[in-house]
Amino acid sequence: MPPNTTASSGQQPGKSGRKKGRKARLLVLLVVLALIGGLVYGGYWTVSTVRASFPQTSGSLTLKGLSGPVEVRRDGQGVPHVYADSEEDLFMAQGFVQAQDRFYEMDVRRHLTAGRLSEMFGASQVGTDAFLRTLGWRRVAQQEYDKELSASTKKYLRAYTKGVNAYLGDREGDELSLEYAALALTGDYTPEPWTPVDSVAWLKAMAWDLRGNMQDEIDRSLMTSRLDAKQIADLYPGYPFERNRTIVQEGAYAQATGTWDQKATASEQAQGGAGTLPGVAAEDQAGLQSQLAGLYGALDELPTAVGVNGNGIGSNSWVVAGSHTVGGAPLLANDPHLSPALPSVWYQMGLHCRTVSASCRYDVSGYTFSGMPGVVIGHNAQIAWGMTNSGVDVSDLYLQKVSRDGYQYDGKTVPFRTREETIKVAGGADKKIVVRETNNGPLLSDRDDELVQVGRKAGVKAAAPDRGDGYGVSLRWTALDPGSTMDAVFAINTARDWKEFREAAQLFEVPSQNLVYADRKNIGYQLPGRIPVRAEGYDGALPAPGWERAARWTGWIDQDELPYEFNPERGYIVTANQAVVDEDAYPYLLTGDWSYGARSQRINDLVKAKIEGGGKVSTEDMREMQTDSSSEIAKLLVPELLKIDLEDDDVRDAQELLESWDRTQTPDSAAAAYFNAVWRNILKLAFGNKLPKELRVEGQCLWVEPVNTTGPAEEADKVRECGQRSATQAQPDGGDRWFEVVRNLMADEDSEWWTTGKSLSGREGATNDRDALLERAMVDARWELTAKLGKDMDSWSWGRLHTLYLKNQTMGTAGPGFLQHMLNRGPWELGGGESTVDATGWNAAGGYGVVWVPSMRMVVNLDDFDKSKWINLTGASGHAYSSHYVDQTDAWAKGELYEWPFSAAAVKRATEETLTLKP
């Protein structure tokens, strides 16, 4: 055992004397495994190496540093509830327990946030580390810890750190996790002690994946190579305020002084002309677009933290007032939509002071992140809260005119702020980089030599300053300023009412989230966050000219001016990434890139129908709403598809599947499989084949007219262009923005988008005919599914196409095949779909596989917290062969929820294992 812990009962066999020679033995065995496959590892790894890291979860341990005994009670899913008499003991035990279950995940996360992945995984991660060092997450986290966080928050972080390090002790290699045994192949890696800043830095990774509209900003810029302003506007329609409700409908904000015209569109405000970027001459577009494409490529290579590299991020959360519920107190539901990960990004936990008092205030349960103290989403004994991504635009890209001496700003050359970073590489030489920063953030384009060359070649329009060495691209992002979000976590955990909750929300600066609230009598909503105010003429829709003073942010929206809602007359509040406020109701620009409200309006409709039908909403009703798989785009398109007169009998048979289909996407539905294949082919024919290569799927090639030609080209003049974007990030992705694009075009049957040619300028014989394109999509879908699922439609099902694989996010994606087999799980055949309430998202440009999911689900019952329900995507444990590795996934896939005990009596009844930690 580690030197600062001793076992008195329920003890694992002693490990002293086993460490010498372990690494040599493992190396030999792993080399053999790599050569001959599964026969040997099936014996050694599953019995010895695997079990070595399983934590002790019953009996007792002596834990140096505690001031009193702590109990850790685990239920049938291995979810821990911690009971202590002091706050420091509580958080020390939290650190110890999370390290027991998830230390490898914690270790990878801190290397990610610090730009130190190369220390674990070698030279393949140098580029990623260089980019992350340029962003400087860890540096900002250190500044937060040193200067911004409260004394009590620092105390909790230190206690948590002490618990993690107590678990580490002198454990190493397979005593910590199976993955460390595999790392022995690449070098002599030993985890270092945990620090408080390791915990704070994780908030930067969370903020990165929830940062707003950076993908849209880059995509719109890249579209200018082939599309004009009107065509881009077609693909980014305005939010349908008249059809899909905003979050705040009866709420308020203090009298604000902003002057922004919320109705201005991206193309009106920021584009500066047809097919151009602001401040850049038309002849210079190609070079800069190549640079932005390279920047996106760098972003695409970054490991996801909690989301899909910032794309496709969504969530559902809604709350119903007690006047409309069975128990007479509010019900609150939440299910954040994030990348599927193994283990799940969430960690379920209860933190309980045995006696709640001024000196020990915590009695809270819910979901947190391994590596971070406190509870992020959940409830305490008085209130409950949920979160969804607000989508508020808190990041802008800036074009910078750079030279050897600095960058140009306001008619002058300003020297860069620079720092040197050393990247240590497992099995290789160190690499040094120089980070250059502007007054609009770090120069991201420095991280790619090709981008630097492109920038040097790019020109400028006559009105701009001298070219210098060309364009660079910098990032202004709120999370790169020190903030107080970690303080907010603890303040929310101990808030007792709406007033204290709003005060805590003011500390929640980054990322900006929709916060939904309930206590036993009230419901509410608050938009928090550090949200920039931009000067008139700039809306963050496209990269802004960094050399212009007017393009800089002018300040922050005051916290008292942020929208909120409390006890609305309608009796419920829905947040699902839709617009926060009506376009005429708020003086500041929050973003122009909301989710378009397909999910949110469906939830609104379901809740409203239940209430207006005279029923009372139950916990089970909330669960059923969470698993609703109704397709909004199918409701629009199926009536039109059924009107198409098809000649081919096989295609007509597929069309007939849609006649009796109820538009729900259950896993066993053949009609859902066919419709989604039709939808994918509509998007490909109408839009995908007409987008620039930087947005299309990597490896998918087309013969197209060269850029900047006018009119149709002869076939011999066309060039072969292949897509450059990963299949999970390409466009058109099929989300609810594309629902709105198609909805707006349906009445225009002769729109240029309906041509089945490969570009908007068409080809000889091509016609703009909506029904002809729909027919072609139905035919192509029939033969695509024939190839994938077989000719017999009786064997078709949506679940066979729409599968979920859970992968360990390090060696499960890039390790040897046998190791991937050990660490990964799946497939699961799922229902749901893109922009449905049961948001098992897929990217229509790349395929049907699941790329984001409801990462957890919960329903909090404020009448009786013990009647609340919850479930995680995977399980409590990060150990690959633990019984709690994926023990919740089957139930999750079926839409089921587990009991969520909270009171001491309920937790005791649910307890299957108890570990006592003694001072």
Side-chain angles (χ1 to χ4, degrees):
M1 302 297 290
N4 58 351
T5 62
T6 58
S8 56
S9 65
Q11 180 180 347
Q12 290 180 319
K15 295 175 181 142
S16 59
R18 293 170 52 195
K19 294 189 180 72
K20 290 184 179 180
R22 178 187 297 277
K23 287 185 177 177
R25 187 166 67 251
L26 280 174
L27 180 61
V28 171
L29 285 169
L30 288 173
V31 170
V32 172
L33 293 178
L35 293 174
I36 68 172
L39 293 177
V40 175
Y41 87 76
Y44 178 80
W45 280 54
T46 55
V47 174
S48 177
T49 309
V50 170
R51 288 184 178 175
S53 62
F54 284 7
Q56 180 179 337
T57 54
S58 61
S60 64
L61 288 170
T62 298
L63 197 62
K64 184 179 179 181
L66 290 176
S67 63
V70 176
E71 281 187 329
V72 182
R73 294 182 170 272
R74 292 180 182 262
D75 65 13
Q77 282 72 52
V79 175
H81 284 260
V82 180
Y83 290 85
D85 293 318
S86 76
E87 293 175 347
E88 288 179 272
D89 284 355
L90 191 66
F91 292 113
M92 182 179 177
Q94 183 181 19
F96 183 86
V97 170
Q98 286 192 353
Q100 281 188 306
D101 286 338
R102 301 277 193 98
F103 181 74
Y104 176 76
E105 178 190 15
M106 293 164 60
D107 199 15
V108 172
R109 283 181 174 180
R110 66 168 165 176
H111 280 78
L112 166 68
T113 58
R116 295 173 55 197
L117 290 170
S118 300
E119 295 178 22
M120 296 185 76
F121 305 112
S124 66
Q125 299 302 308
V126 168
T128 295
D129 283 346
F131 197 92
L132 293 167
R133 296 286 185 96
T134 300
L135 290 172
W137 294 348
R138 170 77 186 207
R139 293 178 67 253
V140 180
Q142 184 70 58
Q143 294 169 7
E144 289 183 357
Y145 183 79
D146 291 341
K147 299 178 181 180
E148 300 292 331
L149 299 182
S150 68
S152 61
T153 293
K154 291 181 181 180
K155 178 177 69 174
Y156 302 150
L157 287 166
R158 289 192 295 268
Y160 179 90
T161 296
K162 188 162 59 173
V164 175
N165 290 331
Y167 182 72
L168 289 181
D170 66 348
R171 289 180 172 91
E172 62 179 32
D174 64 346
E175 295 171 305
L176 290 170
S177 188
L178 173 65
E179 290 91 338
Y180 289 112
L183 281 176
L185 281 170
T186 62
D188 189 20
Y189 175 77
T190 301
E192 62 192 32
W194 194 261
T195 74
V197 179
D198 292 334
S199 297
V200 179
W202 178 243
L203 291 172
K204 301 302 172 186
M206 183 176 74
W208 176 255
D209 280 353
L210 304 174
R211 65 193 177 274
N213 73 336
M214 189 182 294
Q215 177 186 350
D216 290 325
E217 190 172 341
I218 295 174
D219 285 359
R220 277 188 290 260
S221 303
L222 295 172
M223 286 178 183
T224 60
S225 68
R226 289 201 171 272
L227 308 179
D228 62 29
K230 179 185 179 303
Q231 292 162 345
I232 294 173
D234 286 345
L235 303 187
Y236 286 90
Y239 187 87
F241 289 100
E242 74 288 349
R243 187 175 67 253
N244 293 342
R245 291 183 178 181
T246 59
I247 296 173
V248 175
Q249 301 170 46
E250 306 168 35
Y253 52 90
Q255 183 63 39
T257 58
T259 59
W260 189 264
D261 179 5
Q262 180 78 22
K263 293 181 288 186
T265 65
S267 59
E268 290 169 344
Q269 286 289 342
Q271 192 145 323
T276 65
L277 293 170
V280 183
E283 62 269 20
D284 301 323
Q285 296 295 304
L288 192 50
Q289 284 153 357
S290 295
Q291 189 167 4
L292 289 168
L295 172 59
Y296 190 92
L299 299 176
D300 201 8
E301 290 297 317
L302 292 183
T304 56
V306 296
V308 193
N309 282 329
N311 312 324
I313 300 297
S315 298
N316 302 322
S317 188
W318 68 98
V319 60
V320 180
S323 57
H324 299 302
T325 68
V326 172
L331 294 170
L332 187 151
N334 197 187
D335 55 286
H337 307 154
L338 304 171
S339 285
L342 184 59
S344 167
V345 69
W346 297 108
Y347 185 89
Q348 295 159 284
M349 199 166 200
L351 300 171
H352 309 277
C353 292
R354 291 191 180 94
T355 301
V356 177
S357 65
S359 62
C360 195
R361 298 170 296 156
Y362 290 85
D363 189 17
V364 60
S365 183
Y367 297 84
T368 187
F369 302 117
S370 58
M372 209 175 94
V375 168
V376 176
I377 294 174
H379 71 84
N380 59 30
Q382 286 82 33
I383 73 167
W385 67 96
M387 296 183 191
T388 64
N389 193 32
S390 71
V392 169
D393 187 1
V394 295
S395 64
D396 280 346
L397 294 173
Y398 282 85
L399 309 182
Q400 303 288 167
K401 295 188 182 302
V402 300
S403 66
R404 294 179 184 273
D405 298 323
Y407 61 98
Q408 296 184 40
Y409 173 69
D410 200 22
K412 300 177 182 178
T413 297
V414 180
F416 291 105
R417 297 189 303 274
T418 62
R419 66 179 187 273
E420 185 175 85
E421 299 270 355
T422 300
I423 300 172
K424 297 184 181 298
V425 182
D430 294 353
K431 178 178 175 61
K432 294 184 182 295
I433 64 169
V434 174
V435 177
R436 300 191 293 176
E437 292 192 356
T438 73
N439 59 359
N440 287 312
L443 204 64
L444 301 187
S445 48
D446 276 357
R447 297 286 66 86
D448 190 302
D449 291 340
E450 183 177 346
L451 298 186
V452 174
Q453 294 302 318
V454 171
R456 287 174 177 164
K457 295 176 182 178
V460 299
K461 68 179 183 180
D466 292 338
R467 178 177 64 83
D469 281 354
Y471 292 112
V473 180
S474 64
L475 172 67
R476 183 77 171 96
W477 178 37
T478 56
L480 297 184
D481 297 325
S484 58
T485 300
M486 185 62 77
D487 283 342
V489 172
F490 297 111
I492 291 174
N493 283 191
T494 56
R496 295 167 295 180
D497 54 32
W498 173 242
K499 179 178 180 292
E500 291 184 3
F501 179 78
R502 290 194 71 203
E503 290 172 352
Q506 290 189 10
L507 301 170
F508 204 105
E509 295 181 332
V510 179
S512 177
Q513 298 286 282
N514 296 310
L515 298 180
V516 176
Y517 167 92
D519 59 39
R520 285 186 167 85
K521 296 182 179 179
N522 305 293
I523 64 173
Y525 162 83
Q526 177 68 58
L527 176 70
R530 181 184 294 166
I531 302 171
V533 177
R534 296 172 176 85
E536 187 169 357
Y538 296 95
D539 66 357
L542 291 168
W547 52 86
E548 293 186 5
R549 177 183 292 271
R552 299 200 71 203
W553 294 352
T554 62
W556 314 104
I557 301 177
D558 189 85
Q559 293 292 311
D560 290 337
E561 296 175 351
L562 293 174
Y564 70 92
E565 193 166 54
F566 186 63
N567 288 334
E569 185 177 346
R570 66 186 180 279
Y572 58 92
I573 301 170
V574 175
T575 82
N577 319 113
Q578 77 270 39
V580 172
V581 290
D582 190 83
E583 59 182 342
D584 295 318
Y586 193 65
Y588 292 112
L589 174 76
L590 296 174
T591 186
D593 291 310
W594 306 110
S595 176
Y596 282 76
R599 280 181 292 110
S600 63
Q601 192 54 44
R602 176 62 176 170
I603 298 168
N604 268 291
D605 291 344
L606 290 169
V607 175
K608 182 180 179 181
K610 182 72 175 181
I611 292 173
E612 292 186 350
K616 295 287 188 178
V617 181
S618 67
T619 301
E620 177 62 14
D621 291 330
M622 300 286 270
R623 184 201 67 80
E624 289 181 357
M625 292 176 194
Q626 285 181 325
T627 57
D628 179 84
S629 64
S630 175
S631 170
E632 296 304 303
I633 190 60
K635 295 174 185 177
L636 173 70
L637 287 179
V638 167
E640 301 302 324
L641 297 176
L642 292 175
K643 296 176 184 177
I644 304 295
D645 187 13
L646 298 166
E647 296 181 1
D648 189 300
D649 289 342
D650 289 320
V651 181
R652 193 181 308 111
D653 289 343
Q655 182 188 40
E656 289 175 358
L657 291 173
L658 304 178
E659 291 181 354
S660 59
W661 182 42
D662 64 0
R663 318 311 194 247
T664 63
Q665 301 168 97
T666 57
D668 60 352
S669 172
Y674 180 60
F675 172 78
N676 283 315
V678 174
W679 171 235
R680 182 180 183 225
N681 280 278
I682 289 173
L683 292 170
K684 176 183 177 182
L685 294 168
F687 310 105
N689 290 347
K690 297 157 190 172
L691 295 176
K693 62 182 181 297
E694 293 87 356
L695 275 68
R696 300 199 312 267
V697 175
E698 183 177 9
Q700 291 185 3
C701 303
L702 299 171
W703 288 94
V704 300
E705 291 86 350
V707 174
N708 296 327
T709 58
T710 57
E714 298 295 332
E715 288 297 325
D717 295 333
K718 292 186 177 181
V719 295
R720 189 170 184 264
E721 285 189 352
C722 298
Q724 297 179 350
R725 191 165 289 185
S726 69
T728 62
Q729 306 290 310
Q731 293 293 332
D733 60 23
D736 66 355
R737 173 165 68 88
W738 293 99
F739 293 8
E740 205 64 25
V741 169
V742 171
R743 183 186 299 275
N744 290 344
L745 292 172
M746 287 301 289
D748 185 3
E749 298 184 22
D750 299 323
S751 167
E752 61 185 347
W753 292 106
W754 295 126
T755 178
T756 53
K758 291 184 174 64
S759 73
L760 288 172
S761 58
R763 63 183 181 184
E764 186 176 355
T767 58
N768 301 336
D769 185 331
R770 184 197 71 183
D771 288 352
L773 186 142
L774 296 182
E775 179 181 359
R776 167 79 178 274
M778 295 175 76
V779 172
D780 289 355
R782 174 46 161 125
W783 301 119
E784 180 187 359
L785 293 198
T786 297
K788 292 180 182 295
L789 302 179
K791 186 174 181 179
D792 182 4
M793 293 188 302
D794 289 341
S795 68
W796 290 5
S797 71
W798 176 225
R800 286 183 62 196
L801 286 175
H802 192 52
T803 55
L804 169 67
Y805 288 86
L806 292 174
K807 295 185 177 182
N808 175 290
Q809 294 301 293
T810 57
M811 299 177 190
T813 59
F818 76 86
L819 194 57
Q820 293 190 39
H821 177 77
M822 296 176 71
L823 296 175
N824 300 338
R825 300 292 184 271
W828 284 267
E829 296 184 358
L830 301 184
E834 183 65 34
S835 295
T836 64
V837 182
D838 185 13
T840 54
W842 55 286
N843 186 300
Y848 303 97
V850 176
V851 296
W852 60 84
V853 295
S855 55
M856 61 80 159
R857 298 187 183 101
M858 74 175 194
V859 179
V860 182
N861 188 325
L862 276 294
D863 176 54
D864 182 349
F865 286 120
D866 290 334
K867 294 180 180 177
S868 301
K869 306 279 188 176
W870 66 352
I871 199 165
N872 207 348
L873 171 65
T874 59
S877 178
H879 299 289
Y881 286 90
S882 165
S883 59
H884 301 306
Y885 191 48
V886 289
D887 59 329
Q888 299 186 48
T889 308
D890 285 345
W892 172 91
K894 297 173 184 175
E896 298 173 358
L897 298 174
Y898 289 116
E899 300 292 329
W900 181 356
F902 176 70
S903 69
V907 170
K908 186 174 182 179
R909 287 194 298 270
T911 296
E912 295 197 2
E913 294 181 297
T914 301
L915 175 67
T916 300
L917 303 176
K918 297 180 178 180

